[in-house]
Amino acid sequence: MTLAIILGLLTGLSLGLTGAGGGILAVPALMLGLGYDMTSAAPVALLAVGAAALVGALDGLHKHIVRYRAAVFMALMGALMTSAGIRISHALPEQLLVTVFAIIMLWIASKMLRRPAERAQSLPPCRLNPDTGRLSWTGAGTATLAGIGAVAGLFSGMLGVGGGFLIVPALKRFSNLGMHSIVATSLMLIALISLSASAISLAHGTLIPASGWVFVGAAMAGMALGRQVAPHIAPERLQQGFSVLTAVVAVIMLARSYLL
C-alpha cells in the first residue's frame, strides 16, 4: 500500500503542477509499479485523475478562473465519445494499446520540450468578448470546443487518460484565454470526462481493488499539494522535467511490452 500512496501522490502532484500530466502517468504507474495490466489500470487511472482534477477545479472555481460553461459543453461532447473509446480498448490487443499510448507520450514529450510558438496574428476561433469578459459562442468557436471535447473523450475511454495533454495545448492554440484560466478549465473538463468515464466503466461491472482506492485518495492529496506549489516553480522547468519523465516512462513501457 505504501507504493500505491507514493505513486498516487506523484500522479496527483504532476496533474496539479501542469494541468495535463496526471492521466499520462497514472496508467504507467499502475502497470509498472503495482502490476496492473492495461485493461485493469485504465478505470483506476480514470477515477484517480477525475477525483484529483475535481479538487483542482474546485480551487479554480473558488478563484473565478474556470470557464465552466465551456468545460461543461466540452465534457458533454466528450461523454458521447467515451463509450466508443472503451469499446475500442476491449477490442484491441493490449500490446497495440500500449504501443499507441507510448507513441502519444513520446509525441507529447517532444512538444513540451519545444519553445512555445508565438500566437498567430489572426484571431483564434475561441476568444473572449472584450465587453463581457466571457467567451463568445460563435459558430467556429463552438465547433472547435466540440472537437476538443470529443477527442478528449475518445482518448479518455480508450487509454484511461483524462485528456489534459490534448486540452491544454488545444486551448492555448485555439483561444486567447490566459494560462491560469486554461489550466483551471482543463482540470474541470478532465474531472467531468474522467468521472463520467469511470461511472460508465463501473456500471459495466469494473471492480476497483483496495490498492486502487488508496491510489485514488493519494492522487487527490497530491493534487492539493501541486496547486499550492505550482506558483513557486518556473513553468519552463516544469515542462522540461515532465517531458523527460514522460519520455522515459514511454520507453520503459515499450521495452516491457516487447522485450520482457
Side-chain angles (χ1 to χ4, degrees):
M1 291 298 180
T2 301
L3 185 57
I5 293 174
I6 294 173
L7 293 175
L9 282 171
L10 292 175
T11 297
L13 182 63
S14 69
L15 181 60
L17 291 174
T18 66
I24 302 173
L25 297 180
V27 171
L30 290 166
M31 293 179 65
L32 302 178
L34 300 180
Y36 286 56
D37 59 27
M38 187 73 174
T39 302
S40 60
V44 177
L46 280 171
L47 186 58
V49 170
L54 181 60
V55 173
L58 291 175
D59 176 68
L61 286 169
H62 177 71
K63 295 175 181 176
H64 305 288
I65 57 175
V66 176
R67 300 293 166 177
Y68 58 89
R69 292 183 181 86
V72 170
F73 175 70
M74 288 188 287
L76 290 174
M77 296 299 102
L80 297 176
M81 297 299 295
T82 299
S83 294
I86 292 174
R87 287 196 295 270
I88 292 173
S89 72
H90 288 286
L92 296 178
E94 180 171 327
Q95 189 177 67
L96 178 59
L97 283 174
V98 171
T99 302
V100 171
F101 194 60
I103 290 173
I104 292 173
M105 291 175 71
L106 290 171
W107 176 77
I108 294 164
S110 68
K111 295 289 287 185
M112 293 184 73
L113 279 175
R114 300 173 187 170
R115 292 183 178 275
E118 295 183 2
R119 190 179 296 274
Q121 295 298 318
S122 59
L123 291 174
C126 305
R127 54 185 181 272
L128 296 174
N129 185 320
D131 296 325
T132 64
R134 297 180 177 181
L135 280 174
S136 298
W137 288 85
T138 62
T142 301
T144 300
L145 292 175
I148 295 172
V151 173
L154 180 66
F155 276 91
S156 177
M158 186 170 66
L159 298 174
V161 297
F165 66 93
L166 294 171
I167 298 163
V168 170
L171 288 178
K172 287 179 67 177
R173 171 65 178 82
F174 297 112
S175 80
N176 61 353
L177 297 175
M179 192 59 199
H180 288 295
S181 182
I182 287 174
V183 170
T185 302
S186 173
L187 288 175
M188 183 173 181
L189 177 54
I190 291 170
L192 292 171
I193 291 179
S194 298
L195 292 178
S196 65
S198 295
I200 294 172
S201 182
L202 292 172
H204 288 152
T206 298
L207 298 177
I208 306 296
S211 61
W213 288 113
V214 172
F215 184 87
V216 170
M220 296 174 70
M223 163 60 74
L225 176 61
R227 297 305 293 162
Q228 294 297 318
V229 173
H232 306 289
I233 302 178
E236 295 80 8
R237 298 301 182 191
L238 288 176
Q239 287 192 177
Q240 292 169 359
F242 180 75
S243 63
V244 171
L245 178 60
T246 300
V248 169
V249 172
V251 171
I252 292 174
M253 288 185 69
L254 286 173
R256 186 172 184 264
S257 178
Y258 285 93
L259 301 180
L260 300 182

